[in-house]
Amino acid sequence: MFVTEKLRTQHDRTVEGISTAVSKFHQHGQKFRIRHGSTNSTRQTATKGKHFVDTGPLSSILQVDKDRQTCLVEPNVPMDYLVKVTLAHGLVPLVVMEFPGITVGGGFSGTSAESSSFKYGVFERTINYIEIVLANGEIAHCSEDEHQDLFHGAAGAMGTLGVVTLLEVQLRPAKSYVETRYHPVTSIAEAIETMKNFTADTSVDYLDGILFTENQGAIIVGRLTDSTKENEPPRTFSKAKDPWFYLHAQEIIHSHPNTTSTELIPLVEYLFRYDRGAFWAARWAFDYFKTPFNSLTRRLLDSLMHTRVLYKAQDASTLSATYYIAQDLSLLFPNGGDLINHCTQTCNIWPLWLCPLKPTPHPTINPFPASGHGASELLLNVGIWGPAPTKGRSEFVAINRDLETKLSVLGGMKALYAHTFYSESEFWRIYDRQWYDALREKYGATSLPSVYEKVKGDPGAKRGIRDRVLDMRPLGGAYGVLKAVRYRYSDEYRRIRRASPT
């Protein structure tokens, strides 16, 4: 698949428009933010105002190069469309974010660690080069050979060094299925040890884990295959009648607590297996509305249980600011047990997601090993997603702050898509301010918000009347559902679903 003249011309024209808009902001000394049309952040983000640059039109795949195993992608291409197009050429990205609506640009500018990240690192480590509009409007190309410092610095920097407008993504040969094995574990220590052992197995393509409780979990190992098994139909997770993946895994471990279970999952079904229910986050919506949680209610409400729709509900409500904890915390494997035990005592949220992660070389905004450890030493990412055992904003902030403090003590780092309540001095003790500020100066990005300004939460911020009203149960949740329903039946959503492979 080659770049068509029409697509290339359209891309260049759009980028020139972005460059012109950025230049005007730069000339007037005005800071601006990037409006790209979608987000999978759990932070409340600024969406209003006139100081925005719109990158929404950059949503095309310009090229798939089968020989080089790469594709040329604009930043607003979502994962499911990227997978659909590359699979048509027998290829698949090295790292595929498990939520289909996450975009290529979001994966690069944020932090996206998935079940193949123990081999390849976070998504940005699979990018060969980027095109970026600098804060003065200049268009630059960055790679290991050109503007290398900016190439590494822009990854994970939340768009604070420029506006990414094109990326070359690495691909690999695809196969039809993922042979998925569920290894039961009966303790936190066993889960961590079992996962660490599998990271050394070169035959493994995908690896993650779920801890359902302190005493029950599954380490889930995936290997690409074209082989099928007679009388064993592949397992799917995208249809309304299908189980949610985490519930299916839990049922397998419950039914076979002492043996490894194996099944075939079609590749696309595997890659987006956590879409329905958003891992298990949607489970708490049933509790919030005091709705029975069973196979019938999940099937009846299935149209609202996909991540694109769920994020619309979250964005509209205030629940992510007062009720729902969402943190991804990365640290060295030996410290994982201490963190999980602390989480159990602090918030007692289950299940927990475990994902091994090949670290990003320092300096970087993305997670890397604490000083004194090898740059290649694997990290363990712990996903903590569930309702806070608190009432009110102040207690909610206190629990998040407690998790941040404990993570710092253990030498870990968090993904910045989530609530971040570090003070500015705390934040820059973790991240390399001298390196980051030098990049901003070199590439004229001081007119953009800094990464700290982008991600900081204000623990003492006064909440307006609207937020206080939506804090009242069930008004906030009901308003989120209303927005989600409107989106679910919109022309935009129907267009997206038509392009999706599932």
Side-chain angles (χ1 to χ4, degrees), residues 26 37 55 65 73 88 104 111 132 148-149 263 342 369 394 398 400 411 468:
H26 179 73
T55 64
D65 189 324
V73 187
V104 172
T111 301
I132 184 170
Q148 184 189 62
D149 55 352
E263 64 185 358
H342 182 80
S394 60
N400 280 278
R468 292 200 299 271

Side-chain angles (χ1 to χ4, degrees), residues 421-432:
F421 295 107
Y422 296 118
S423 68
E424 190 166 7
S425 60
E426 286 177 307
F427 185 86
W428 292 117
R429 281 199 296 270
I430 299 169
Y431 302 96
D432 190 335

Side-chain angles (χ1 to χ4, degrees), residues 176-246:
S176 301
Y177 303 99
V178 177
E179 181 193 72
T180 306
R181 296 187 178 184
Y182 304 84
H183 298 265
V185 291
T186 57
S187 70
I188 295 169
E190 183 187 3
I192 293 173
E193 181 182 5
T194 302
M195 175 167 280
K196 184 67 181 293
N197 290 339
F198 274 117
T199 63
D201 187 340
T202 57
S203 72
V204 174
D205 295 300
Y206 302 103
L207 177 62
D208 70 329
I210 305 172
L211 277 174
F212 300 104
T213 68
E214 294 173 271
N215 303 312
Q216 184 190 62
I219 302 304
I220 304 166
V221 178
R223 295 177 175 88
L224 288 165
T225 182
D226 284 321
S227 301
T228 59
K229 294 184 178 180
E230 191 174 354
N231 300 322
E232 289 189 30
R235 168 65 67 175
T236 60
F237 299 100
S238 61
K239 303 179 183 66
K241 65 180 181 180
D242 293 335
W244 290 6
F245 179 77
Y246 95 93

Side-chain angles (χ1 to χ4, degrees), residues 406-427:
K406 184 63 176 180
L407 183 64
S408 294
V409 169
L410 295 173
M413 300 176 71
K414 63 187 290 183
L416 297 179
Y417 76 83
H419 289 288
T420 302
F421 295 107
Y422 296 118
S423 68
E424 190 166 7
S425 60
E426 286 177 307
F427 185 86

